[in-house]
Amino acid sequence: MPIYVVGHKIPDSDSICSAIALAHLKNQIGEPAVATRLGELSPETQYILDKFGFETPEYKTSYAGEKIFIVDHSEVGQAPDDVADATIVGIVDHHKLGDLTTSTPLECWIRPVGCSNTIIKQMYDFYGIEIPKNVAGVMLCAILSDTVIFKSPTCTPVDKAAVEDLARLAGVDDIVALGMEMFKVKSAVEGTPVRDLVKRDFKDFDMNGHKVGVGQLEVIDLAVFDSIKDDLQADIAALKEEGGRHSVLLLLTDIMREGSEMLVVSDSADLTERAYGKPTTDGKVWLEGVLSRKKQVIPSLQDAFK
Amino acid sequence: MPIYVVGHKIPDSDSICSAIALAHLKNQIGEPAVATRLGELSPETQYILDKFGFETPEYKTSYAGEKIFIVDHSEVGQAPDDVADATIVGIVDHHKLGDLTTSTPLECWIRPVGCSNTIIKQMYDFYGIEIPKNVAGVMLCAILSDTVIFKSPTCTPVDKAAVEDLARLAGVDDIVALGMEMFKVKSAVEGTPVRDLVKRDFKDFDMNGHKVGVGQLEVIDLAVFDSIKDDLQADIAALKEEGGRHSVLLLLTDIMREGSEMLVVSDSADLTERAYGKPTTDGKVWLEGVLSRKKQVIPSLQDAFK
Ligand SMILES: [Mn+2]
Ligand SMILES: [Mn+2]
């Protein structure tokens, strides 16, 4: 019976690449493992897998009676729906500690770094297992994605050191060029249904009893949103009603300008004022220097709900 | 502001020695840290600290506004009462994943091994920090205690390898002799109030909504309990009522005979029948081969409450 390695719902590149990289490591140390996923690949992730020659991991939503290794989160809400009927044998993550619990001992590799793949790199080192060229490639891309090519405040020296090693192993000379190519793929929003864009990297949070959805789209130039911004605003308003949410926030992040425009629909008119000291005008607010949802958006928001 | 390294309530030797060993490591890597404790030392722990020349860590129950590193558990109920007002920066543990959560990223070193100090040994190796002779001594003793000198089914090859390294560093030639000396101290129950014995290593568990307390006393020869067994039975019955518990179980573990006599008071007359396939007679049941509360007692009990 293999261990299924699976990331969060609405998987990002880190979730998919972590599953691939960790499943490979587990197989090398004599623990049969299979990478799976809980949702569709984003164009960025598809680009990464194509570039390094990987098949899309199996789409699998039911894990009852199986052993699973969770990557890139530790939240019940982000886990398979039947996680309570599975045995969690391990967790690799770099977020706050969530509400997953187990009834048996397990291994948790959780570190305050910029990307789960940085931790998986440490696991390879711990076990003394060499990282194949194509695995190193997807790990490298995941770190560049999560750290916004080192610009995110979540990026640590450990992430940079991992990227250096992985680039050598993957035979990548120009890290920044690879990162920019990836973000160009991410920036191509034309032709994508608005709802798909809103939900591409969308997470619901429980804020002191209120359901708050926060999405993020990272692009090289915010101008790509000019023609669809009204539609995005209308769609997050609809999403708020459909899900019985208190608020829905959509971060349009300009990775070159290093800041985010936040689109806001909320039951609290002064939410961004209380959380970030800046009022919402016409459903929008510019947050200078804000690149990281996890580090720069969620904590202040949580405080605002206390 | 230092990081306070603190184990669980009613600290065992692993909790205290983990706090000491991890605080030392943190100080070596430039993160000022202080070992603290949430309760009185057991005679075994006192023996270990005396033997290797350590002061008793500071008794500290309030951590509001402080940074804390939790060792040897991940449960709200085992943590400081005001843990919600502290910042948990890390967790080292070898039990099932509990219900602690955080609002910020942290480091978790959780492994399915026999003792938290085995994991701290891995942390020393990871950071390339040498373990001083006296620190190695208390780490060694904690592992011998938690693994019942390697006899517990929770003991893994990783624990044995750590003990080998630590014994060399501590200058201990005869590991088994040290372990037996320690368990002799643990076996001295004479003169200790019955309630102190019952609560010496006592944990409350939430079993599907029912509060179940399970204590354990590990001795070299169960004969030490002959004259006080009636008193122990009366006391766990009292403890059951006082705490509004569904059941209180007290494991009297004979580490030489490798089994446990379980004293039982419960609202379910057939509890041990359902959990272990053996009925309770006169409030007692012998469980052959059972040394580990965590691995051999709690999981079946949890299943019996489903
Ligand atoms: Mn990630
Ligand atoms: Mn322990």
Side-chain angles (χ1 to χ4, degrees):
Chain A
M1 196 174 86
I3 297 167
Y4 291 99
V5 186
V6 64
H8 51 75
K9 291 177 175 171
I10 312 181
D12 60 1
S13 295
D14 191 21
S15 269
I16 298 293
C17 299
S18 287
I20 291 170
L22 184 56
H24 179 82
L25 172 61
K26 284 282 169 189
N27 280 304
Q28 297 306 303
I29 60 174
E31 302 176 23
V34 175
T36 57
R37 64 187 165 91
L38 294 179
E40 293 310 304
L41 298 193
S42 74
E44 183 200 61
T45 310
Q46 190 64 61
Y47 164 85
I48 296 170
L49 299 196
D50 289 347
K51 185 169 182 80
F52 293 98
F54 281 98
E55 298 287 316
T56 303
E58 183 194 339
Y59 177 66
K60 180 174 164 68
T61 55
S62 173
Y63 296 83
E66 310 279 12
K67 285 190 282 189
I68 59 173
F69 202 119
I70 301 268
V71 289
D72 207 34
H73 75 93
S74 60
E75 314 266 350
V76 173
Q78 301 288 331
D81 291 338
D82 60 356
V83 67
D85 304 318
T87 303
I88 303 174
V89 298
I91 299 174
V92 168
D93 189 31
H94 65 121
H95 300 87
K96 66 196 182 72
L97 188 60
D99 54 358
L100 279 174
T101 59
T102 68
S103 51
T104 47
L106 77 168
E107 55 174 318
C108 296
W109 301 68
I110 301 175
R111 301 286 181 277
V113 294
C115 181
S116 293
N117 274 281
T118 299
I119 305 164
I120 295 171
K121 169 67 168 59
Q122 293 184 334
M123 295 174 76
Y124 271 94
D125 292 344
F126 176 81
Y127 288 108
I129 301 292
E130 212 172 320
I131 308 178
K133 188 170 176 167
N134 59 345
V135 175
V138 301
M139 293 174 72
L140 168 63
C141 284
I143 303 175
L144 293 175
S145 173
D146 262 16
T147 64
V148 192
I149 320 176
F150 306 149
K151 289 182 182 187
S152 170
T154 60
C155 186
T156 70
V158 185
D159 299 295
K160 289 182 188 174
V163 161
E164 205 167 297
D165 285 355
L166 292 167
R168 199 174 18 77
L169 292 166
V172 170
D173 293 324
D174 192 337
I175 293 162
V176 174
L178 173 63
M180 287 300 288
E181 210 177 305
M182 227 171 58
F183 275 97
K184 246 176 246 165
V185 173
K186 207 172 200 169
S187 303
V189 301
E190 224 172 318
T192 308
V194 166
R195 178 56 61 93
D196 289 6
L197 289 176
V198 169
K199 301 278 300 243
R200 180 170 284 170
D201 178 10
F202 186 88
K203 286 183 184 163
D204 277 314
F205 298 84
D206 173 51
M207 300 264 172
N208 203 15
H210 301 287
K211 186 174 171 188
V212 177
V214 184
Q216 184 173 26
L217 291 166
E218 293 163 309
V219 296
I220 287 174
D221 182 352
L222 281 196
V224 300
F225 296 120
D226 284 350
S227 61
I228 58 167
K229 203 171 286 174
D230 291 348
D231 296 339
L232 289 170
Q233 288 187 299
D235 198 62
I236 62 172
L239 200 61
K240 174 181 177 298
E241 294 314 314
E242 289 163 27
R245 295 177 176 88
H246 176 281
S247 309
V248 174
L249 312 176
L250 183 62
L251 288 161
L252 306 178
T253 299
D254 190 320
I255 71 163
M256 302 309 292
R257 210 172 135 196
E258 302 195 14
S260 295
E261 179 167 59
M262 182 185 269
L263 306 188
V264 181
V265 288
S266 175
D267 290 343
S268 301
D270 63 344
L271 183 63
T272 63
E273 178 76 51
R274 284 185 291 121
Y276 312 109
K278 292 197 73 175
T280 305
T281 310
D282 292 340
K284 294 182 282 239
V285 55
W286 172 257
L287 300 174
E288 183 69 26
V290 168
L291 293 174
S292 166
R293 175 171 54 190
K294 179 174 81 172
K295 203 150 184 169
Q296 297 170 297
V297 173
I298 299 304
S300 312
L301 202 59
Q302 243 156 356
D303 288 346
F305 275 91
K306 266 177 192 161
Chain B
M1 196 173 86
I3 298 167
Y4 292 99
V5 186
V6 64
H8 52 75
K9 290 175 174 173
I10 313 181
D12 60 1
S13 295
D14 191 22
S15 268
I16 298 293
C17 299
S18 287
I20 290 170
L22 184 55
H24 179 81
L25 172 60
K26 284 283 171 188
N27 280 304
Q28 297 306 302
I29 60 173
E31 302 176 23
V34 175
T36 57
R37 64 187 164 89
L38 294 178
E40 293 309 305
L41 298 192
S42 74
E44 182 199 62
T45 309
Q46 188 65 60
Y47 165 84
I48 296 170
L49 298 196
D50 289 348
K51 185 168 182 79
F52 292 97
F54 281 98
E55 298 288 317
T56 303
E58 183 194 338
Y59 177 67
K60 179 174 165 70
T61 56
S62 173
Y63 296 83
E66 310 278 11
K67 286 190 282 191
I68 59 173
F69 202 120
I70 301 268
V71 289
D72 207 34
H73 75 94
S74 60
E75 314 266 349
V76 172
Q78 300 288 332
D81 291 337
D82 59 357
V83 68
D85 303 318
T87 302
I88 303 174
V89 298
I91 299 174
V92 167
D93 190 31
H94 64 121
H95 299 87
K96 67 195 179 73
L97 188 60
D99 54 359
L100 279 174
T101 59
T102 67
S103 52
T104 47
L106 77 170
E107 56 173 318
C108 295
W109 302 67
I110 301 175
R111 301 287 180 277
V113 295
C115 180
S116 294
N117 274 281
T118 299
I119 305 164
I120 294 172
K121 168 67 168 61
Q122 292 185 335
M123 295 175 76
Y124 271 94
D125 292 345
F126 176 82
Y127 288 108
I129 301 292
E130 212 173 321
I131 307 178
K133 188 171 178 168
N134 58 345
V135 175
V138 299
M139 293 174 72
L140 168 64
C141 285
I143 302 175
L144 293 175
S145 174
D146 262 16
T147 65
V148 192
I149 320 176
F150 306 148
K151 289 182 182 187
S152 170
T154 61
C155 186
T156 70
V158 185
D159 298 296
K160 288 182 188 173
V163 161
E164 205 167 296
D165 285 355
L166 292 167
R168 199 173 19 78
L169 291 167
V172 170
D173 294 326
D174 192 336
I175 292 163
V176 174
L178 173 63
M180 286 301 286
E181 209 177 305
M182 226 171 57
F183 275 97
K184 244 176 247 166
V185 172
K186 207 172 197 168
S187 303
V189 301
E190 225 174 316
T192 308
V194 166
R195 177 57 59 95
D196 289 5
L197 288 176
V198 169
K199 300 280 301 245
R200 180 170 287 172
D201 179 9
F202 186 88
K203 286 183 186 165
D204 278 314
F205 297 85
D206 173 51
M207 300 263 173
N208 203 15
H210 301 286
K211 186 174 172 187
V212 177
V214 185
Q216 183 173 26
L217 291 166
E218 294 163 308
V219 298
I220 287 173
D221 183 352
L222 281 195
V224 300
F225 296 120
D226 284 351
S227 62
I228 58 168
K229 204 171 286 175
D230 292 348
D231 297 338
L232 289 170
Q233 288 187 299
D235 198 62
I236 62 172
L239 201 59
K240 175 181 176 300
E241 295 315 314
E242 288 163 29
R245 294 178 176 87
H246 176 280
S247 310
V248 174
L249 312 176
L250 183 63
L251 288 160
L252 306 178
T253 299
D254 189 319
I255 72 163
M256 302 310 290
R257 210 172 135 197
E258 301 194 15
S260 295
E261 179 168 60
M262 182 186 269
L263 307 187
V264 181
V265 287
S266 176
D267 289 342
S268 301
D270 64 344
L271 183 64
T272 63
E273 179 75 52
R274 286 186 290 122
Y276 312 109
K278 294 197 69 175
T280 305
T281 310
D282 292 341
K284 292 181 283 236
V285 55
W286 172 256
L287 300 174
E288 183 70 27
V290 168
L291 293 174
S292 166
R293 173 171 56 188
K294 179 174 81 171
K295 202 150 183 167
Q296 297 170 297
V297 173
I298 299 303
S300 312
L301 202 59
Q302 243 155 356
D303 288 345
F305 274 91
K306 266 176 193 163

